[in-house]
Amino acid sequence: MNNVSLLELFGIFFYIGLFTIGGGLVAITLMKQTIVDRGLISSETFYNMVAISESTPGPVGVNMATYLGNEFYGVPGAIITTLGEILPSIICILLIAKFLTRFAETTPVKGALFGIRPASIGLVLVATVHILVMSLINIPEDIKSLLTKEGINGFFNWQNIAFYFVILYIRRKTHCHPIIMILCGALFGYLFF
């Protein structure tokens, strides 16, 4: 992990919280761009954080902010990064509550809300693809290794793919509660990784 000040971490998570429109998966996309691409943590560590944050109660973005803050600076870091993540939402909600009733029907506000929807969907799709690729495909260091039979067989993470389809089948046939599926995924990750 690179050295980063507590103030920088607060700023990073304030930025993420400010532009997370559309839910936790949008936060994941922004976090990957601002944390992994800056070299603060590795891609593997990031996706492990995603798995843990998805498995624990609460919003994914807040869970990840708390987790990363704790990794860098312990409990004070967890508090600061969590505040950075939630403060923009609190400010926006207070402003919206004060002014929205007056401006809700204006053309610019309607246009802005209409434009935010497809952007949020795109960010959620990007995060979903990243998570699927990271968990189901082993991208080799040397692309030429894919030309061999062993390379092609090693390209897919067959264990994860099999688990994914088993869980999908069980969910479809039994209509089991999603919490049970999440717990099964957490147990699978704990036992096999």
Side-chain angles (χ1 to χ4, degrees):
M1 290 188 224
N2 286 350
N3 290 334
V4 61
S5 73
L6 200 51
L7 185 60
E8 284 177 296
L9 272 181
F10 176 82
I12 288 169
F13 283 98
F14 188 88
Y15 164 78
I16 292 167
L18 187 61
F19 291 102
T20 300
I21 299 170
L25 289 177
V26 175
I28 291 170
T29 302
L30 289 174
M31 283 183 191
K32 182 177 183 312
Q33 291 172 350
T34 55
I35 297 169
V36 176
D37 294 350
R38 283 182 60 181
L40 297 178
I41 60 173
S42 70
S43 193
E44 183 179 348
T45 301
F46 177 76
Y47 285 108
N48 287 336
M49 284 175 44
V50 171
I52 291 168
S53 297
E54 287 278 357
S55 300
T56 54
V60 174
V62 173
N63 290 347
M64 290 183 67
T66 306
Y67 183 87
L68 190 68
N70 188 58
E71 285 293 310
F72 278 101
Y73 289 102
V75 174
I79 292 169
I80 293 297
T81 54
T82 302
L83 282 174
E85 176 74 20
I86 65 172
L87 195 56
S89 297
I90 292 170
I91 293 168
C92 287
I93 288 169
L94 292 174
L95 289 172
I96 289 170
K98 184 168 177 73
F99 297 111
L100 186 62
T101 55
R102 204 177 310 160
F103 299 109
E105 296 303 316
T106 63
T107 304
V109 171
K110 284 182 178 179
L113 292 175
F114 182 76
I116 286 172
R117 286 186 199 124
S120 296
I121 291 168
L123 289 170
V124 168
L125 286 174
V126 166
T128 303
V129 168
H130 277 289
I131 291 169
L132 278 173
V133 166
M134 201 59 189
S135 62
L136 301 179
I137 297 175
N138 299 317
I139 300 173
E141 295 288 328
D142 180 21
I143 299 296
K144 291 179 184 177
S145 67
L146 289 175
L147 300 176
T148 66
K149 185 176 180 182
E150 293 81 21
I152 292 173
N153 286 334
F155 183 67
F156 295 102
N157 190 331
W158 296 109
Q159 183 177 344
N160 288 1
I161 292 171
F163 178 76
Y164 172 76
F165 282 109
V166 166
I167 287 294
L168 192 64
Y169 178 79
I170 290 170
R171 172 78 175 121
R172 188 173 178 123
K173 290 296 182 182
T174 65
H175 302 290
C176 195
H177 197 279
I179 295 293
I180 294 172
M181 301 290 105
I182 291 170
L183 291 173
C184 288
L187 182 64
F188 176 79
Y190 176 76
L191 293 175
F192 295 103
F193 295 101

